[in-house]
Amino acid sequence: MCGRMALTLPPAAMAQIFEAAPANTLPEGPNYNICPTNDVAVITGGPDQPRQMEAMRWGLIPAWYKKPNDGPLLINARAETVLEKPAFRSAVHDRRVLVVASGFYEWTKDAIGGRDPWYITRRDGAPLAFAGLWQGWRTPDTGETMRTVAALTVAANTPMQAIHHRMPVVIERADIGLWLGENGKGAAPLMRAAADDVLQWHRVDRAVNSNRASGPELIEPFQQD
């Protein structure tokens, strides 16, 4: 699962890393506490579409919703069932994107039920690229189209199971063109757990448990008093 993210670089710098042209509207950054319904940084592309980085609302809104809260908040999509779900099955064929971040958060519980946050990054220090699906949703009042996105998740690999039973699908640099459709078809095998040595994590302060918290201290290793 993936319920919070951090983007520690300016979005324009992230666009350069992924060789994408920055759109006129990019998410604000750095942002150390990206929450559902916030804008996230997304890379789009395709066989006839130059790679671009733009902002999308985190939380896919199916086309049939009359308003954004007409149903569940779809921040994640299970890769195992994505082809069966009406909200995702067309997107997985035609609207695949990358959700990019510096890291993401997950939680465990202590002996009395307190929520302990962990900050998860790549071991090699590179940005993370999550497999994502997007959907345009037309607002009834203005007729404008809002672009919304969900991140794909799979069963956690062995190390990650110590923190959570699910994890986001991490797309490796060599597979980006295939996931975006730039290099033809056959992206389904990419919907798998990352290798056991790809990710690392450390405890951070419970301050991040609040969706109002901000600042680089949120990702610093937790220091026990």
Side-chain angles (χ1 to χ4, degrees), residues 59-75:
L60 186 143
I61 305 176
W64 59 85
Y65 277 25
K66 300 299 183 185
K67 51 185 183 294
N69 60 354
D70 255 1
L73 183 60
L74 304 178
I75 63 171

Side-chain angles (χ1 to χ4, degrees), residues 12 36-37 40 43 54 57 75 86-87 112 133-134 139 146 166 176 219 224:
T37 74
V40 291
I43 306 291
E54 60 181 278
R57 176 194 186 268
I75 63 171
I112 59 173
L133 308 173
W134 76 273
T139 56
M146 180 190 305
R166 304 287 297 176
I176 286 176
I219 66 172
Q224 186 74 46

Side-chain angles (χ1 to χ4, degrees), residues 38-105:
N38 291 165
D39 282 347
V40 291
V42 170
I43 306 291
T44 60
D48 302 310
Q49 177 185 348
R51 197 178 292 181
Q52 179 173 272
M53 181 173 169
E54 60 181 278
M56 290 190 186
R57 176 194 186 268
W58 186 15
L60 186 143
I61 305 176
W64 59 85
Y65 277 25
K66 300 299 183 185
K67 51 185 183 294
N69 60 354
D70 255 1
L73 183 60
L74 304 178
I75 63 171
N76 297 139
R78 295 175 70 94
E80 299 90 337
T81 59
V82 73
L83 291 173
E84 305 166 12
K85 302 295 184 181
F88 305 122
R89 61 190 176 203
S90 65
V92 76
H93 292 297
D94 304 321
R95 296 189 300 280
R96 296 193 302 268
V97 296
L98 298 173
V99 179
V100 296
S102 303
F104 67 102
Y105 299 96

Side-chain angles (χ1 to χ4, degrees), residues 3-4 8 47 52 62 76-77 80 85 98 100 122 131 144 147 153-154 159 179 183 194 197 205 213-214:
R4 300 272 190 90
T8 64
Q52 179 173 272
N76 297 139
E80 299 90 337
K85 302 295 184 181
L98 298 173
V100 296
R122 290 188 62 103
E144 296 180 356
R147 288 158 79 90
T153 67
V154 290
W179 180 254
N183 297 342
D197 61 351
D205 193 271
S214 62

